[in-house]
Amino acid sequence: MKRVFCPKCDNQLTFDETKYADGQVLAFVCPQCTAQFKIKIGRKVVRTATGEEKEVKEPDFSYGWITVIENTFAFKQELPLVLGENVIGRRNKDTDGVDIPIITSDPSMGRKHCIIHTKQDSEGQLYYSLRDNSSMTGTFLGNTLLGKKEQVTIDEGAVVTIGATTFVLHTPQGEETE
């Protein structure tokens, strides 16, 4: 199943993309706001607000990723990390500054809930640290609530809960991480 979002109200719609050929154009009517919009199956280029065409790149998982555990509020998602700060929060149409937007209806997750900092040393070894970003409900590593301004080192398989949503950290080295 493929997910698309209404460009007007950000409502999520799903459809079975396997029933359509590459290059085929599909028209949608949003059930929430009744906006009409089209998408092209298999398209690798999108048009920006200024009218420019921009190539859509495949996600790069070479610096690690998080897997969001499916629950009542969210479906399973795999979201790549980048070097430096990765601000993680609830996806919202008007939220700027979120590097890892989790698609969820979880009201207890902040728009900019926590930060995973990814660092690489001169030998290519990756290191990860986690901190809360002044969220209302806090950030949990396992069953431990992080303190204000506390930054902790995390490794492969770290289980993090923000609001009612849980995700797991994965590193490119997998279980080889010490």
Side-chain angles (χ1 to χ4, degrees), residues 2 7 10 23-24 31 43 54 102 111 130 135 142 150 160 172:
K2 181 145 178 92
D10 212 31
Q24 188 172 356
R43 188 170 181 178
K54 180 179 165 186
I102 296 176
R111 292 181 183 175
L130 171 72
S135 67
E150 178 182 10
V160 178

Side-chain angles (χ1 to χ4, degrees), residues 130-142:
L130 171 72
R131 69 180 161 91
D132 186 64
N133 194 28
S134 302
S135 67
M136 298 295 288
T137 57
T139 298
F140 291 82
L141 177 58

Side-chain angles (χ1 to χ4, degrees), residues 1 20 46 78 103 124 140 150 166:
M1 294 298 279
Y20 306 98
V46 294
E78 291 190 338
I103 301 168
F140 291 82
E150 178 182 10
T166 301

Side-chain angles (χ1 to χ4, degrees), residues 3 67-71 74-79 103 170:
R3 293 175 174 85
T67 300
V68 177
I69 307 297
E70 186 166 354
N71 64 18
F75 56 90
K76 180 181 176 183
Q77 301 164 65
E78 291 190 338
L79 305 164
I103 301 168
H170 300 284

Side-chain angles (χ1 to χ4, degrees), residues 74-117:
F75 56 90
K76 180 181 176 183
Q77 301 164 65
E78 291 190 338
L79 305 164
L81 298 172
V82 296
L83 282 178
E85 288 197 345
N86 294 273
V87 179
I88 300 171
R90 184 178 73 241
R91 182 183 188 278
N92 193 296
K93 188 173 184 174
D94 61 352
T95 302
D96 289 327
V98 175
D99 304 304
I100 313 291
I102 296 176
I103 301 168
T104 182
S105 60
D106 180 358
S108 59
M109 181 193 303
R111 292 181 183 175
K112 297 178 183 178
H113 200 104
C114 68
I115 297 171
I116 292 180
H117 188 84

